[in-house]
Amino acid sequence: MFAEPEFWVAVGFVILLGVFAYFGIHRTVLTTLDHRSDRIKAELDDARRLKDEAAKLLAEYKARHATAEREAQDIIASAQAEAERIASEAKTKMEDFVARRTKTAESKIALAEAQALADVRAAAANAAVTAASTILSQSVKGQIADDLLAKGISEVREKLN
């Protein structure tokens, strides 16, 4: 038993533990381990806190992103509605413009027709007066002819105009 190396390793180990216990090394080791445990715990708490803050920031940025997306969609929808409204107004204005121009052209045509009709009537009246005056002057002579001619011309003018 005293010749076996395991025995002497065990004796040396027990002596070493006795020396460590005498000098209080176990308290130092336990204190160091406690400090290290506290430091690791603090680092883990700090890491959890940072993770929570990061999660909050991520959630906040996601919310901001969603809000920005909704605002962008609202702006796009508003712009489309505005464009449609402007296009509709432009179409309505164009239709009104065309209708007014058509009405103006029609009234100008009607006025030109009335003027042409009046010109034709006046020319016909003048031609009738001239013809009547020529016929009457050639067929009737004297004072009676002059009276008839004046009376006929005045009647024709009254009827044609």
Side-chain angles (χ1 to χ4, degrees):
M1 170 159 128
F2 292 123
E4 294 189 26
E6 289 87 12
F7 172 76
W8 290 110
V9 169
V11 170
F13 183 70
V14 170
I15 292 172
L16 181 65
L17 285 179
V19 169
F20 281 170
Y22 178 76
F23 286 112
I25 302 251
H26 65 284
R27 279 185 241 118
T28 307
V29 170
L30 289 176
T31 305
T32 304
L33 288 176
D34 286 341
H35 287 307
R36 185 169 184 205
S37 171
D38 292 340
R39 189 178 79 235
I40 290 172
K41 186 186 267 186
E43 287 177 3
L44 286 174
D45 290 341
D46 193 36
R48 275 192 208 104
R49 183 184 54 80
L50 289 174
K51 180 183 171 190
D52 291 342
E53 286 179 11
K56 286 178 185 176
L57 282 175
L58 179 63
E60 183 180 326
Y61 283 123
K62 283 184 179 179
R64 285 184 185 175
H65 179 69
T67 302
E69 285 289 327
R70 281 193 305 272
E71 288 177 1
Q73 293 298 329
D74 291 344
I75 289 170
I76 289 170
S78 169
Q80 286 176 342
E82 183 71 15
E84 289 174 2
R85 184 187 62 78
I86 289 172
S88 174
E89 287 178 4
K91 182 180 178 185
T92 304
K93 286 181 181 178
M94 182 60 75
E95 290 172 353
D96 290 345
F97 177 73
V98 168
R100 281 194 313 266
R101 292 296 253 177
T102 303
K103 189 176 180 181
T104 303
E106 288 173 352
S107 66
K108 284 183 180 180
I109 290 170
L111 185 63
E113 286 176 353
Q115 183 65 38
L117 186 60
D119 289 345
V120 167
R121 282 187 182 174
N126 286 339
V129 167
T130 306
S133 127
T134 304
I135 291 172
L136 288 176
S137 64
Q138 290 174 358
S139 51
V140 179
K141 302 280 184 196
Q143 181 61 29
I144 296 173
D146 290 337
D147 289 340
L148 280 175
L149 181 64
K151 185 178 174 188
I153 290 173
S154 65
E155 285 179 9
V156 169
R157 281 193 179 152
E158 286 175 13
K159 289 181 181 178
L160 290 178
N161 288 328

